[in-house]
């Protein structure tokens, strides 16, 4: 079992000081994760030794770059247990992956009056694209409620399924509450009424094992930058038989087999959905991130995060006036959002930053969820494989500083 200190040595940024004598305590991994040397050096090596465009050239650099780019796709396919690398589409991020489904599958297969079921805990990335499509096509959006214990109301979901939805799209793990939703059960129930399913895996794929075949998910979207990889690259997984029926999302180079003056023939999967020069170095960096996570072990990462989260919840429970929003630890991942009585979350975050502790404050791109609990914002601490109990202690010490300043 890897030791946290051994892991931390692989992340150069974790050893910097944010100001003189104040070391960084990074507790914002739900926003973006830090990058290990393995990823940084892999991307640097690409630019130093094989930088070229892919799929077009026959010279040595082009062939090496193409091979590395496609090998990274194979790694991702294996990482999520896809049946084929053809089911792995490179996108810019989770947001673009969901928009791809909305604009390609949604525009072709949804009609006025069709129902889409979402949840009240969705990130804006899995809310706004469906709102836009609903406005355009006259669709009906319905929402699985979040209960007072911060879990989804599955009884209400079963009733909503009587509406015979065409799509159920939901977050696997809430970026605010940390709630890990029962994805397999949600998908099974959706399929019983003939609905397709889309899983926002931005907060799940980086943190615990996700097997798309076991889930039987139709679509899964996630981002490299939350899983030790670079920004600017994400993944849409889709079942091949569904992707085959979808029209291209963007037009241009590489997504075509043949172009005429007034028509074109789209390329085969996965290239049909990858127009133009892609984020080549970033894709290769994602492949290196997958290697790193598999070397550490996804089961270990999940166990470690649960231990850190349990420890943090215990320590935070002793802070006067602090209220945590999220379920008990057995139902959640490494995310803790909270408020402090009489102190705005942004003030909390700024004081913590002065102590070297990096957290997030705001609505975390989940405004409707905050509205449900009648709060404008929360402060969020989020953990990953490199987080330590000592960092939690520094968080609590920083919150005690907040209390001392605000009385």
């Amino acid at each position: 079992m890897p030791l946290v200190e051994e892991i931390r040595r692989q992340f150069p940024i974790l050893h910097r000081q944010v100001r003189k004598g104040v070391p960084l305590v990074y507790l914002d991994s739900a926003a973006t994760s830090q990058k290990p040397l393995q990823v940084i050096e892999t991307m640097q090596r690409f630019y130093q030794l094989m930088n070229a465009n892919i799929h077009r050239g026959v010279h040595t650099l082009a062939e090496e770059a193409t091979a590395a780019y496609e090998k990274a796709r194979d790694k991702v396919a294996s990482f999520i247990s896809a049946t084929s690398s053809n089911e792995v589409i490179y996108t810019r991020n989770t947001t673009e992956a969901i928009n791809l489904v909305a604009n390609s599958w949604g525009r072709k297969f949804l009609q006025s009056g069709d129902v889409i079921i979402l949840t009240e805990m969705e990130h804006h990335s899995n809310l706004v694209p469906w709102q836009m499509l609903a406005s355009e096509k006259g669709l009906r959006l319905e929402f699985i409620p979040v209960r007072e214990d911060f879990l989804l109301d599955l009884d209400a979901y079963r009733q909503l399924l009587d509406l015979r939805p065409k799509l159920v799209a939901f977050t696997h793990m809430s970026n605010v509450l940390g709630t890990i939703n029962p994805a397999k059960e949600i998908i099974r129930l959706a399929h019983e009424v003939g609905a397709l399913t889309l899983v926002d895996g931005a907060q799940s794929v980086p943190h615990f094992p996700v097997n798309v075949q076991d889930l039987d998910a139709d679509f899964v979207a996630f981002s490299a930058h939350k899983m030790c990889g670079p920004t600017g690259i994400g993944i849409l997984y889709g079942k091949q038989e569904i992707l085959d029926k979808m029209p291209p999302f963007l037009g241009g180079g590489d997504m075509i087999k043949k172009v005429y003056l007034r028509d074109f023939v789209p390329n085969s999967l996965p290239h049909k959905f990858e127009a133009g020069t892609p984020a080549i170095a970033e894709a290769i960096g994602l492949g290196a991130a997958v290697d790193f996570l598999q070397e550490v072990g996804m089961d270990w990462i999940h166990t470690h995060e649960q231990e850190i989260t349990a420890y943090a919840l215990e320590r935070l429970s002793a802070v006067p006036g602090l209220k945590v929003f999220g379920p008990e630890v057995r139902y959640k991942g490494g995310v803790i959002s909270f408020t402090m009585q009489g102190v705005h979350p942004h003030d909390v975050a700024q004081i913590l930053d002065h102590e070297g502790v990096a957290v997030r404050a705001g609505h975390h791109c989940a405004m409707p969820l905050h509205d449900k609990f009648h709060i404008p914002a929360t402060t969020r601490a989020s953990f990953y494989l490199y987080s330590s109990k000592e960092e939690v202690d520094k968080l609590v010490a920083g919150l005690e500083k907040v209390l001392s300043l605000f009385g």
Side-chain angles (χ1 to χ4, degrees):
M1 183 176 293
L3 298 174
V4 175
E5 285 307 313
E6 291 180 4
I7 292 172
R8 290 177 64 85
R9 279 195 285 270
Q10 302 302 311
F11 292 82
I13 200 169
L14 298 181
H15 304 287
R16 68 159 288 188
Q17 295 183 349
V18 291
R19 58 183 58 85
K20 187 175 181 180
V22 181
L24 171 67
V25 176
Y26 188 76
L27 300 180
D28 196 22
S29 290
T32 195
S33 65
Q34 296 302 339
K35 323 304 175 192
L37 282 168
Q38 188 167 322
V39 171
I40 296 168
E41 291 172 352
T42 295
M43 295 178 67
Q44 182 180 15
R45 200 157 47 241
F46 166 77
Y47 280 123
Q48 285 182 326
L49 300 177
M50 66 176 79
N51 180 48
N53 215 326
I54 59 167
H55 295 155
R56 300 176 179 88
V58 295
H59 58 79
T60 298
L61 294 185
E63 290 182 346
E64 288 178 349
T66 299
Y69 179 83
E70 293 300 338
K71 185 177 181 180
R73 192 195 307 271
D74 293 341
K75 291 177 181 180
V76 173
S78 175
F79 186 65
I80 61 173
S81 300
T83 59
S84 166
S85 59
N86 289 339
E87 298 179 320
V88 173
I89 310 299
Y90 285 124
T91 62
R92 286 188 304 160
N93 42 47
T94 304
T95 301
E96 185 175 279
I98 295 171
N99 275 272
L100 191 163
V101 177
N103 284 278
S104 176
W105 178 84
R107 278 211 172 98
K108 180 171 182 177
F109 293 105
L110 295 180
Q111 306 296 327
S112 178
D114 284 345
V115 174
I116 296 175
I117 294 178
L118 306 165
T119 83
E120 291 182 335
M121 64 172 66
E122 294 311 309
H123 189 282
H124 298 164
S125 294
N126 197 33
L127 184 59
V128 175
W130 306 114
Q131 292 173 342
M132 294 169 66
L133 191 65
S135 177
E136 175 187 325
K137 296 181 70 72
L139 309 176
R140 176 178 172 184
L141 303 182
E142 295 291 341
F143 299 89
I144 307 172
V146 177
R147 304 186 317 203
E148 290 302 312
D149 61 0
F150 307 104
L151 302 178
L152 289 180
D153 187 338
L154 293 186
D155 290 333
Y157 173 51
R158 291 182 179 91
Q159 292 180 343
L160 288 173
L161 289 174
D162 290 339
L163 299 173
R164 297 286 165 171
K166 294 296 179 68
L167 178 72
V168 176
F170 64 96
T171 181
H172 200 170
M173 176 180 141
S174 168
N175 72 312
V176 176
L177 305 174
T179 304
I180 299 175
N181 291 315
K184 193 171 182 178
E185 176 72 359
I186 293 171
I187 292 167
R188 182 185 66 80
L189 293 170
H191 286 168
E192 286 181 357
V193 298
L196 294 189
T197 56
L198 182 148
V199 179
D200 176 354
Q203 300 291 343
S204 62
V205 172
H207 296 282
F208 52 84
V210 173
N211 183 320
V212 296
Q213 291 188 68
D214 182 61
L215 289 178
D216 197 24
D218 299 297
F219 300 105
V220 178
F222 56 98
S223 297
H225 74 96
K226 296 183 190 291
M227 52 186 288
C228 297
T231 56
I233 188 80
I235 296 294
L236 173 67
Y237 159 81
K239 289 181 178 177
Q240 184 160 338
E241 62 268 26
I242 300 173
L243 293 174
D244 276 333
K245 297 174 183 176
M246 291 165 52
F249 174 39
L250 298 173
D254 216 33
M255 48 71 64
I256 45 82
K257 279 187 177 177
K258 183 72 176 177
V259 177
Y260 309 93
L261 285 178
R262 290 181 173 82
D263 198 7
F264 73 95
V265 178
N267 209 339
S268 56
L269 290 175
H271 312 297
K272 176 171 73 170
F273 295 108
E274 297 176 5
T277 296
I280 303 168
E282 289 78 5
I284 294 168
L286 170 56
V290 167
D291 289 340
F292 179 81
L293 293 176
Q294 289 183 316
E295 288 165 11
V296 175
M298 295 306 297
D299 287 319
W300 184 91
I301 292 171
H302 182 49
T303 300
H304 171 70
E305 288 181 17
Q306 286 196 308
E307 290 174 353
I308 291 292
T309 303
Y311 179 74
L313 288 172
E314 180 183 356
R315 291 294 321 273
L316 292 173
S317 67
V319 178
L322 187 146
K323 181 179 180 181
V324 171
F325 291 84
E328 54 186 283
V329 69
R330 61 181 171 141
Y331 296 117
K332 72 185 278 111
V335 170
I336 300 178
S337 296
F338 59 90
T339 58
M340 295 188 73
Q341 187 175 1
V343 190
H344 194 281
H346 288 125
D347 291 329
V348 174
Q350 284 190 325
I351 295 168
L352 288 175
D353 178 62
H354 188 75
E355 303 300 311
V357 181
V359 296
R360 180 59 57 97
H363 52 68
H364 317 303
C365 294
M367 293 179 73
L369 181 61
H370 282 77
D371 290 343
K372 179 182 178 68
F373 293 109
H374 310 293
I375 51 175
T378 53
T379 306
R380 183 185 68 189
S382 51
F383 313 112
Y384 203 12
L385 73 167
Y386 40 65
S387 301
S388 68
K389 290 183 178 179
E390 290 76 18
E391 291 182 311
V392 173
D393 294 338
K394 290 180 180 179
L395 167 66
V396 174
L399 294 175
E400 291 171 350
K401 181 74 172 291
V402 174
L403 290 175
S404 70
L405 291 173
F406 282 84

